Amino acid sequence: MAQVPSPTIRARRLRRELRRLRDRTGRTAEDVAKLLGWHRTKIIRFELGHSRVMPKDLPPLLDLYDASEEERESLTALLRQSRQKGWWSAYGDVLPDDYVGFEAEATSISAFESLYVPGLLQTEEYVRAIVKAGRSTADQDETDRRVAARLGRKTLLSRDAPPRLWMVLDEAAVRRVVGGPKVMQAQIARLIEACGLPTVEIQILPFAAGAHAAMGGPFTLLDYSDPILDPTVVYLDNDSSTLLLEEERHVARYRLMFDHLMAKALDPDESAGFLARVADEY
């Protein structure tokens, strides 16, 4: 499966480029809105991603920013790509945030998970058990759609150029019995299989390691092929909210945190052996 451009990433790149062009003119967002006869918050909402840039809005912005022909062509293409639909758009009712769109074009994914096996490596039975536990009032249709959406993400690992996936899993994530022993046996087998993939590294952080840098909870770092155009994103998720962090200071903090976790966890070979022993227990 070939990688296709993510509209989420293209939309962010468009916002960043429009902000760069505005800064080049030395004008504030309010200056631009006033000159174009728009509401004073419209430019700010574009640049923060709170509103979509519409096709009719781009030409007057590019005129005001004195954009070159190359810049016009590039940003017009970005706008067109940002308005396309990713496969995940069909599951908007069960995928409420932009994470999958950011994940879709990542070239490197570094994740720490403390409670359960991360979605990209979950088996269908494990997914179904997680969904049922978290959505006890969901009907069969909603459950099936949530499962299908989660499984759809896994195609990321089978594309022509899959991302480098590095996961540090707390021991609790593989010890917690989700769906029963048979489900866990298959799930641990899937993790062991993934350990053999050239683009996947899994490390187990054992209970014996004690306190660690990420006691506050799980997180994911998403890196892209061009860090200038598409800077790293840090994703935080809990039951009630999700958060995407892009500021360099936040990224640096979580990068350092992940380095500490890798240093404290079992190395990939030791982790594969640990998982084999856990599988035997099931």
Side-chain angles (χ1 to χ4, degrees):
M1 182 187 70
Q3 178 181 348
V4 296
S6 166
T8 306
I9 295 298
R10 295 303 185 267
R12 182 175 72 144
R13 190 182 297 179
L14 175 62
R15 295 195 301 268
R16 291 175 56 83
E17 285 297 289
L18 287 175
R19 172 61 187 269
R20 180 184 66 81
L21 292 180
R22 179 174 64 78
D23 286 345
R24 190 175 68 185
T25 69
R27 295 187 175 102
T28 67
E30 288 193 358
D31 290 339
V32 172
K34 185 175 181 180
L35 287 169
L36 294 176
W38 293 350
H39 189 278
R40 63 186 183 86
T41 64
K42 185 170 181 175
I43 302 300
I44 295 174
R45 293 183 63 81
F46 281 168
E47 293 178 357
L48 293 178
H50 295 163
S51 296
R52 295 177 63 184
V53 178
M54 303 301 289
K56 64 182 177 63
D57 296 324
L58 189 58
L61 283 173
L62 297 180
D63 289 342
L64 189 59
Y65 295 159
D66 196 24
S68 67
E69 190 60 33
E70 182 180 357
E71 289 169 334
R72 288 174 182 274
E73 291 179 1
S74 175
L75 270 64
T76 299
L78 284 178
L79 177 61
R80 182 174 62 254
Q81 292 168 347
S82 73
R83 295 176 62 80
Q84 295 172 352
K85 300 290 186 182
W87 67 262
W88 53 90
S89 64
Y91 297 98
D93 56 326
V94 294
L95 290 174
D97 57 62
D98 286 335
Y99 175 75
V100 178
F102 281 104
E103 178 185 72
E105 205 170 324
T107 55
S108 176
I109 301 173
S110 306
F112 168 67
E113 183 52 67
S114 57
L115 296 178
Y116 54 83
V117 174
L120 287 175
L121 297 178
Q122 292 174 355
T123 66
E124 181 173 350
E125 293 76 13
Y126 189 93
V127 174
R128 196 168 292 278
I130 289 286
V131 171
K132 286 183 177 179
R135 299 279 175 171
S136 58
T137 60
D139 59 24
Q140 188 63 45
D141 181 63
E142 180 183 346
T143 298
D144 289 344
R145 285 181 57 73
R146 289 186 179 277
V147 171
R150 185 73 60 87
L151 295 177
R153 289 174 53 202
K154 295 168 63 176
T155 59
L156 189 70
L157 301 181
S158 60
R159 71 190 189 192
D160 293 342
R164 168 190 169 275
L165 180 63
W166 199 303
M167 291 188 170
V168 176
L169 305 182
D170 192 281
E171 182 175 344
V174 297
R175 291 289 188 189
R176 184 177 302 280
V177 182
V178 174
K182 288 186 177 180
V183 171
M184 287 304 300
Q185 187 177 41
Q187 180 59 72
I188 299 302
R190 170 59 184 139
L191 291 177
I192 294 172
E193 177 188 28
C195 289
L197 297 175
T199 57
V200 176
E201 298 286 358
I202 297 175
Q203 290 185 258
I204 302 297
L205 184 64
F207 292 143
H212 56 78
M215 298 293 283
F219 62 90
T220 300
L221 286 153
L222 300 171
D223 293 297
Y224 303 93
S225 58
D226 190 328
I228 302 300
L229 290 176
D230 303 311
T232 299
V233 171
V234 178
Y235 178 77
L236 308 176
D237 182 24
N238 58 47
D239 286 342
S240 59
S241 64
T242 60
L243 184 62
L244 287 165
L245 304 175
E246 301 179 69
E247 291 185 33
E248 289 185 10
R249 62 190 180 93
H250 293 312
V251 172
R253 175 191 171 200
Y254 281 94
R255 185 86 66 194
L256 180 61
M257 194 182 299
F258 194 74
D259 288 344
H260 285 177
L261 290 170
M262 288 193 296
K264 200 157 192 175
L266 302 177
D267 69 33
D269 289 339
E270 293 172 330
S271 296
F274 182 94
L275 289 170
R277 292 191 295 276
V278 172
D280 288 341
E281 295 175 12
Y282 287 112

